C-alpha cells in the first residue's frame, strides 16, 4: 500500500504522549513539532488513527508543505499540489480553517480565499471543467502557517475527535476529552491503581480513565468524514478498525475510580455521561466537597481540574478552596496529586511546591499541570519472588 504522511494536532505540551500513542499503534513518526505529530501510514492508518488515538484533535492527510511570503506564492504553491489525488469531480472542498504565526501572510480569510481559487484552477485543468457543482462528499482543508512555511492538510475526522459522543451535559469550564486523556496518560496511573477526581464536573477525567481501563477505543462509536470518501479510502478500513476496537474492550475489569463534586446536579450529569460512554459501572460518583476528600487505601492518584476563577467574583474564593485542597492532600500522604489549573497562586495555597510543573495551553488559555509526587508502592510479593 502507498505510504502517506498523516498529521495529528494535539494540545501544546502533550506531544510526547501522542507520539507514544502513535508508536503503540505501530506507525513510524516522521516529525514532532509544537502542537502536532506527523507520522507515516497507509490509507488504513487513517481509519485506525481516528478510531484508536485518544489525545489528538483530528487526523489530517498531509497534502503538501510550501513556502509563501506573498499571496502570489501561496496561489502558485497551492495550485501546484496534486488536488486531483484527493478530491473527486463532485467533491465539496474549501479551506475550513487557516492560522498564521510569525508569518508575512496573516489574514485567515484572505488565505482561505486565495487557496480555494488556486485549488479550483488546478482542478479545472484536470477535470476539464469551468465550474464545479460540489454536490458530493466534503473535503475540508486545514492550513497552518509558521514562519512562512505553509502546512496543508485534508481533514479526515470532521467533528473534532474530542467529541467522543458521551458528553451530553457539561459543567462550566469543562476540560476536553482529549486533554483529559493526555493528562492521565502523562501520569504513571494504571487501571489497578486508585484514581479520584474531587472536582469531577461532568465526569471527564473519571470517564476517560475508565475507558482506558476497559481498553475502550475513543472513536469506536462515532463517525468520521473520511468514511464517505469512496474515491480515496475503502469503507472496510473503518469497519475493520471499529470491529477490532470492539473486540478489545474488557468491561469486566475491576477499578477504583471515583469522582466527587459539590454540585449534586453536576454529579447527576456525570453519571448520565458515564452511562452514555458505557462505563458507569466502573466509576463511583458522589456529591462531596474537596474538604471531605479521603480514602482508606494508600498509593492512589488524584487527577483533577479545579476551579481557577475565570470570573472576577470567583477569584476571591480561590485561596480558601486551594487551602482545603492542600489540607486534603496532606491527609493522603502516600498519594500522588496532579492538578491542572490557570491559577498562578495554586502552590502557595496548596502549601507545597510541586515536584514537577508543565505549562500546557488549554485552547488559548495558559495552564499549569502541577505534579505532587508520592512514594512508589512496594512491589508485590509475587513480583519479588518471580
Amino acid at each position: 500500500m502507498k505510504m502517506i504522511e498523516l498529521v495529528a494536532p494535539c494540545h501544546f505540551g502533550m506531544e510526547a504522549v501522542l507520539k507514544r500513542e502513535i508508536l503503540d499503534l505501530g506507525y513510524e513518526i516522521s516529525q514532532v513539532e509544537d502542537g502536532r505529530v506527523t507520522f507515516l501510514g497507509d490509507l488504513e492508518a487513517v481509519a485506525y488513527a481516528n478510531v484508536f488515538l485518544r489525545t489528538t484533535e483530528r487526523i489530517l492527510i498531509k497534502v503538501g508543505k510550501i513556502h509563501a511570503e506573498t499571496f502570489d506564492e501561496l496561489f502558485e504553491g497551492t495550485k501546484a499540489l496534486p488536488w486531483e489525488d484527493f478530491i473527486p469531480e463532485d467533491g465539496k472542498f474549501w479551506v475550513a480553517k487557516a492560522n498564521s504565526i510569525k508569518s508575512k501572510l496573516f489574514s485567515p480569510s484572505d488565505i482561505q480565499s486565495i487557496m480555494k481559487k488556486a485549488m479550483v484552477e488546478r482542478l479545472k485543468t484536470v477535470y476539464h471543467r469551468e465550474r464545479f457543482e460540489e454536490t458530493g462528499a466534503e473535503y475540508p482543508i486545514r492550513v497552518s502557517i509558521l514562519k512562512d512555511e505553509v502546512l496543508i492538510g485534508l481533514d479526515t475526522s470532521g467533528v473534532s475527535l474530542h467529541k467522543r459522543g458521551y458528553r451530553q451535559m457539561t459543567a462550566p469550564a469543562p476540560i476536553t476529552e482529549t486533554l483529559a486523556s493526555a493528562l492521565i496518560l502523562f501520569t504513571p496511573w494504571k487501571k489497578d491503581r486508585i484514581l479520584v477526581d474531587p472536582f469531577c464536573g461532568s465526569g471527564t477525567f473519571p470517564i476517560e480513565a475508565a475507558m482506558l481501563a476497559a481498553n475502550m477505543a475513543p472513536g469506536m462509536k462515532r463517525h468520521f468524514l473520511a468514511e464517505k470518501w469512496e474515491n480515496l479510502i475503502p469503507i472496510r478500513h473503518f469497519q475493520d478498525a471499529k470491529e477490532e476496537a470492539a473486540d478489545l474492550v474488557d468491561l469486566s475489569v475491576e477499578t477504583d475510580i471515583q469522582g466527587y463534586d459539590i454540585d449534586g446536579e453536576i454529579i447527576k450529569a456525570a453519571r448520565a455521561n458515564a452511562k452514555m460512554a458505557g462505563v458507569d459501572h466502573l466509576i463511583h460518583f458522589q456529591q462531596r466537597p474537596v474538604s471531605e476528600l479521603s480514602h482508606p487505601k494508600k498509593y492512589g492518584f488524584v487527577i483533577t481540574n479545579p476551579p481557577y476563577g475565570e470570573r472576577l467574583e470567583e477569584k476571591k474564593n480561590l485561596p480558601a478552596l486551594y487551602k482545603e485542597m492542600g489540607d486534603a492532600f496532606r491527609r493522603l500522604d502516600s498519594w500522588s496529586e496532579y492538578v491542572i489549573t490557570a491559577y498562578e497562586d495554586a502552590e502557595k495555597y496548596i502549601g507545597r511546591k510541586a515536584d514537577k510543573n508543565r505549562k500546557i495551553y488549554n485552547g488559548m488559555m495558559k495552564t499549569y499541570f502541577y505534579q505532587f509526587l508520592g512514594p512508589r508502592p512496594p512491589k508485590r510479593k509475587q513480583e519479588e519472588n518471580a
Side-chain angles (χ1 to χ4, degrees), residues 201-225:
S202 52
T204 310
F205 272 128
I207 292 170
E208 290 294 319
M211 289 174 68
L212 271 164
N215 205 20
M216 185 181 289
M220 60 183 279
K221 294 180 181 178
R222 56 159 285 173
H223 293 288
F224 310 99
L225 210 52

Side-chain angles (χ1 to χ4, degrees), residues 337-339 341 343 346-347 354 356-357 368-372:
E337 291 90 18
Y338 296 83
V339 179
T341 179
Y343 184 43
E347 289 172 301
K356 293 182 180 178
N357 181 15
Y368 299 91
F369 192 42
Y370 295 105
Q371 301 156 63
F372 304 93

Side-chain angles (χ1 to χ4, degrees), residues 175-208:
I175 194 166
T176 66
E177 294 88 329
T178 45
L179 181 54
S181 244
L183 293 175
I184 294 168
L185 289 169
F186 189 78
T187 77
W189 179 80
K190 295 289 184 286
K191 61 187 176 184
D192 60 343
R193 305 282 294 275
I194 306 155
L195 187 150
V196 177
D197 179 359
F199 299 97
C200 73
S202 52
T204 310
F205 272 128
I207 292 170
E208 290 294 319

Side-chain angles (χ1 to χ4, degrees), residues 51-67:
V51 170
F52 282 94
L53 292 180
R54 299 177 189 277
T55 64
T56 183
E57 296 304 306
R58 60 187 68 250
I59 299 297
L60 309 174
I61 295 175
K62 182 177 173 180
V63 178
K65 195 170 189 179
I66 62 176
H67 182 87

Side-chain angles (χ1 to χ4, degrees), residues 49-219:
N50 271 299
V51 170
F52 282 94
L53 292 180
R54 299 177 189 277
T55 64
T56 183
E57 296 304 306
R58 60 187 68 250
I59 299 297
L60 309 174
I61 295 175
K62 182 177 173 180
V63 178
K65 195 170 189 179
I66 62 176
H67 182 87
E69 298 181 27
T70 67
F71 283 119
D72 281 345
E73 288 178 341
L74 181 65
F75 182 90
E76 294 301 330
T78 303
K79 185 180 173 185
L81 295 172
W83 291 106
E84 65 277 7
D85 290 352
F86 306 99
I87 301 171
E89 198 169 345
D90 68 343
K92 181 180 180 181
F93 58 98
W94 74 103
V95 180
K97 186 169 183 180
N99 62 61
S100 177
I101 300 171
K102 299 177 182 176
S103 300
K104 294 180 178 65
L105 303 177
F106 55 83
S107 166
S109 59
D110 289 337
I111 292 164
Q112 289 167 297
S113 175
I114 292 288
M115 293 185 71
K116 168 74 176 190
K117 287 175 184 175
M119 293 162 67
V120 169
E121 287 305 309
R122 170 77 184 206
L123 294 176
K124 273 183 182 180
T125 61
V126 175
Y127 293 127
H128 308 292
R129 299 187 57 150
E130 279 304 307
R131 60 190 303 271
F132 295 91
E133 299 296 333
E134 299 192 40
T135 55
E138 297 181 345
Y139 297 79
I141 310 302
R142 289 186 166 247
V143 179
S144 177
I145 308 179
L146 175 63
K147 297 179 181 176
D148 305 317
E149 295 297 320
V150 186
L151 178 67
I152 303 165
L154 180 61
D155 180 10
T156 71
S157 304
V159 175
S160 174
L161 294 181
H162 80 264
K163 296 199 173 179
R164 320 284 205 217
Y166 66 73
R167 199 157 75 175
Q168 306 300 304
M169 302 179 69
T170 62
I175 194 166
T176 66
E177 294 88 329
T178 45
L179 181 54
S181 244
L183 293 175
I184 294 168
L185 289 169
F186 189 78
T187 77
W189 179 80
K190 295 289 184 286
K191 61 187 176 184
D192 60 343
R193 305 282 294 275
I194 306 155
L195 187 150
V196 177
D197 179 359
F199 299 97
C200 73
S202 52
T204 310
F205 272 128
I207 292 170
E208 290 294 319
M211 289 174 68
L212 271 164
N215 205 20
M216 185 181 289

